[in-house]
Amino acid sequence: DIQLTQSPSFLSASVGDRVTITCRASQGINSYLAWFQQIPGEAPKLLIFGPSILQSGVPSRFRGSGSGTEFTLTISSLQPEDFGVYYCQQLMTYPRTFGQGTKVEIK
Amino acid sequence: QVHLEESGGGLVQPGGTLRLSCEASGFTFSDFYMTWIRQAPGKGLEYIAYISSSSGHDTNYADSLKGRFTISRDNAKNSLYLQMNSLRDEDTAVYYCARYHYTSGYWIFDFWGQGTLVTVSS
């Protein structure tokens, strides 16, 4: 199975800050990656896939990049509603696997 | 708009069985692949299985769950199912159904239900 490792596991940032989360794959997955946001008590929400295609309705402050084994999710200007846990997911092979998550706290 | 609603969760004893349902609305259910994912309390996301559209003849399972869990669908009822047998403590989780959609060259889990909690405990 492909392992995905996210860093950091936790980050605390202020409104307006630029935030970057990294996802590293245990083997090359080309561009087959997606990012989700999960607010506590809610279902995960797809943000970005491919790894830079913004899902419909997702604000443009979210940006994804990378290929191969290293990917990043960037929030250009953190907003209060961006708190939660962010997960990456590989779309290359089965079983589909997820990173362990990055918890984002708003200072 | 797309809406998915899971049901059927609850408390079950180890070794027991449970059948989860996911009712879909807002899209042509029979045209889409569907999938189940779970999340143990305080933990990350784990893929369970997918089922193809229309006839549902194509399925795929996580190796660790193959043989105990079975995914199925009834297009006439716009419903997806997960039959879970020989349940273990470690199967305790929130179970989500999601639409599995092919777009722009990628298979994505684009819409998720709110989940149903399964607790396996004696």
Side-chain angles (χ1 to χ4, degrees):
Chain A
D1 298 0
I2 294 176
Q3 308 300 316
L4 298 177
T5 304
Q6 292 181 230
S7 60
S9 295
F10 173 84
L11 72 87
S12 181
S14 300
V15 172
D17 283 354
R18 181 184 181 90
V19 166
T20 298
I21 299 169
T22 298
C23 177
R24 290 188 173 86
S26 59
Q27 63 189 76
I29 56 172
N30 296 322
S31 60
Y32 291 90
L33 191 96
W35 290 97
F36 294 86
Q37 176 197 27
Q38 186 176 32
I39 291 170
E42 298 187 7
K45 173 187 172 185
L46 177 65
L47 298 174
I48 290 172
F49 61 97
S52 58
I53 301 171
L54 215 59
Q55 175 69 344
S56 176
V58 174
S60 58
R61 63 180 179 273
F62 291 91
R63 189 173 73 88
S65 63
S67 67
T69 60
E70 187 154 336
F71 301 84
T72 59
L73 173 69
T74 300
I75 308 173
S76 60
S77 178
L78 193 67
Q79 298 301 302
E81 61 268 29
D82 296 338
F83 75 96
V85 181
Y86 290 78
Y87 295 95
C88 56
Q89 180 205 19
Q90 60 87 10
L91 311 176
M92 179 88 166
T93 64
Y94 293 100
R96 295 290 194 249
T97 48
F98 295 84
Q100 83 281 11
T102 295
K103 185 175 182 178
V104 174
E105 175 192 271
I106 310 294
K107 279 183 185 174
Chain B
Q1 60 276 32
V2 174
H3 183 72
L4 299 167
E5 184 164 346
E6 302 90 342
S7 61
L11 177 63
V12 60
Q13 291 189 336
T17 66
L18 210 56
R19 188 197 198 204
L20 305 183
S21 300
C22 168
E23 187 168 348
S25 60
F27 64 102
T28 304
F29 180 72
S30 58
D31 287 349
F32 287 84
Y33 282 47
M34 297 294 295
T35 185
W36 286 99
I37 306 102
R38 70 182 182 181
Q39 186 170 35
K43 302 296 185 183
L45 299 163
E46 180 185 14
Y47 165 82
I48 298 172
Y50 82 71
I51 186 167
S52 60
S53 59
S54 192
S55 64
H57 284 163
D58 178 26
T59 58
N60 174 275
Y61 295 88
D63 283 346
S64 60
L65 301 174
K66 204 179 300 184
R68 291 196 302 125
F69 287 18
T70 303
I71 190 171
S72 62
R73 65 190 298 157
D74 184 338
N75 292 331
K77 295 182 178 179
N78 287 341
S79 292
L80 174 73
Y81 305 103
L82 184 68
Q83 178 68 41
M84 305 187 294
N85 299 331
S86 304
L87 284 163
R88 306 167 181 166
D89 290 353
E90 55 265 34
D91 295 319
T92 293
V94 174
Y95 286 72
Y96 297 101
C97 65
R99 196 175 76 167
Y100 193 26
H101 181 44
Y102 184 73
T103 184
S104 303
Y106 299 91
W107 282 97
I108 58 172
F109 298 173
D110 63 347
F111 289 96
W112 297 51
Q114 286 303 301
T116 187
L117 175 62
V118 172
T119 303
V120 183
S121 175
S122 53

